[in-house]
Amino acid sequence: MTDPRIAGAGVTQFGKHPERTGRDLFADAGLEALDQSGVDPDDVDALYYGNFMGELAEHQGHQGPLMAEAIGVDAPATRLEAACASAGAAVREAVKTLRNGEADVVVVGGAERMTNIGTAAATDALAIAADDLFEVRAGMTFPGAYALMARAYFEAYGGSHEDLAHVAVKNHEHALVNEHAQIQKEITVEDAMEAPTIAAPLGLYDSCPITDGAAAAVLTTDEYAEEHGLDAPVAISGTGQGGDNLALQDRPHLARTPAADKAAEEAYADAGIDADDVDVAEVHDCFTIAEVLAIESLGLFEPGEGIHAATEGTTSRHGEMPVNLSGGLKAKGHPVGATGVAQLATIAWVLDGTHPRADAVPDGTVGVAHNAGGTVASTTVHVLEVQE
Amino acid sequence: MTETPLNGEFDEWLDSIEDGEGYYVECDEGHGWLPPRRVCPDCGSRELHDEPLPDSGEIVTHTTITVATPQFEDDAPYVTAIADFGPVSITGLVRGVDPEDVSMEDVVGIEVGERETTGERAVVFRPR
Ligand SMILES: [Zn+2]
């Protein structure tokens, strides 16, 4: 068994494109990925596509075949939904399909149209990732859920809102050179601390924006890449997925994300690496506290230590363990169903040296992508490695 | 106008709290859950029995939500908290106290209230 290769990837400009349809967004990313890969679209055996709220935002279900058509691919197409980890789940299906020999070429991607329905309706739509009976009916919003986790984290381990502000400042700085990013604006710790509160203790700058966008990647078997002379130096060497109780109230610990622990453990074992081997990570920072929880679950920091990482500069592009060189969800934006594949594209570009922040890890060979759904009741982790 | 269909055991559970006879379900291993449950997600036991919900819980985390969904627009700002009732933890709206005065480990009782925005029933905690 050999590791699937990333032959090409495409990401739209993330931002406010309320007039652009989901199919148009996905075509933008998908065609770029196909063009960059050099793969003949007729060779594509399957499309796995992530999307979370298409029914609510566009009154559009059954998006798989629609998106295959949009990129000129005639192949079985399936949509996956795992809240914000929908695209990560799509990547995992693609990897499994390629590994078990059922396909030579798979397109993986995702798209989300969100700003067309406005902030209130988008907030409402995002909340359906939580438990409707026991959480949403008790007023829980998506930011509210992470605020509950943030307060529980501070109680268990210490740290403060100011530490979270450093996460936001770092990710905004990383995004300054990312032309795909929704927000390219430097902010200060003071800006983040003084921003309006949305769900105490979290403020506006602790939260990712609401975003329209799409991402896609063309994955092939090692054999296909070799036979067709593709330039595809980065392989997906490990995949993992973990789950947890959907409702926060049913979990024994609110300051930990065991679904991500399990996903990381599985992905590292699959790739034959451990956390010490990781050179760079893209993690799911839908809220600043989520980055802290993610880097602890990935084993990059001990429980209770992740909160200090951004404050101490360890996770900045100048630090020992750069995290979210893209700007993360925080600054790059979070078109929910596309995020997992946008992370994959970022790591591939950092490792092959074409990302504008690749100079943060000039000798990097191992990267991880952590994609979390809801309050981390679903998580996928993928390990990417340079395999010349 | 048609009546909104009820959510089975969830609404029965709210009724029980309204009647002052709140309960939870428990397996023989002592894992507690809120209904409807047919199996214990922890140990797989299908032998679940009703147990009386303890009279009060302790707040283990809370947030004051200022940006609400349309269903809670008129309620905002409001406090959502998770309270530990021992065998089960429950999520609810904290009322009867200024949001700024809600603290970790506050002891609360449970009742059923209404959302200000929609009039729908909601779990409400009040300081004890
Ligand atoms: Zn049990």
Side-chain angles (χ1 to χ4, degrees), chain A residues 46-57:
Chain A
L47 166 67
Y48 292 109
Y49 167 83
N51 174 263
F52 172 58
M53 50 185 272
E55 288 83 355
L56 298 172

Side-chain angles (χ1 to χ4, degrees), chain B residues 26-33 39-48:
Chain B
E26 191 178 78
C27 71
D28 292 337
E29 305 276 325
H31 305 135
W33 305 95
V39 60
C40 172
D42 269 7
C43 68
S45 168
R46 297 190 187 184
E47 303 298 320
L48 302 177

Side-chain angles (χ1 to χ4, degrees), chain A residues 120-121 123-124 127 133-141 144 147-148 151-152 155 197-200 245 248-250 254, chain B residues 7 10 13 33-35 37 61-67 70-72 78 80 82 89-91 93 104-105 115 122:
Chain A
T123 304
D124 195 28
L133 297 181
F134 289 104
E135 297 186 313
V136 180
R137 286 161 193 256
M140 198 185 284
T141 60
L148 293 173
R151 200 184 298 276
E155 179 80 1
T197 300
I198 50 175
N245 301 100
L248 287 176
Q249 66 185 23
D250 291 330
L254 296 175
Chain B
N7 284 301
F10 174 74
W13 178 71
W33 305 95
L34 299 180
R37 294 276 182 187
T61 187
H62 60 94
T63 177
T64 302
I65 293 175
T66 37
V67 179
Q71 285 76 28
F72 280 88
Y78 59 88
T80 290
I82 297 177
S89 291
I90 302 176
T91 313
L93 298 165
M104 305 291 259
E105 296 172 25
R115 292 189 213 168

Side-chain angles (χ1 to χ4, degrees), chain A residues 275-331:
Chain A
D276 291 344
D277 297 316
V278 175
D279 297 310
V280 61
E282 283 286 306
V283 308
H284 199 93
D285 61 326
C286 47
F287 298 93
T288 47
I289 184 67
E291 176 166 313
V292 174
L293 297 168
I295 60 180
E296 292 181 4
S297 281
L298 289 171
L300 306 176
F301 294 85
E302 292 296 316
E305 297 297 322
I307 188 73
H308 307 298
T311 309
E312 290 167 358
T314 322
T315 46
S316 86
R317 65 193 173 95
H318 304 294
E320 279 168 37
M321 184 62 246
V323 172
N324 283 331
L325 288 172
S326 67
L329 283 55
K330 176 70 198 79

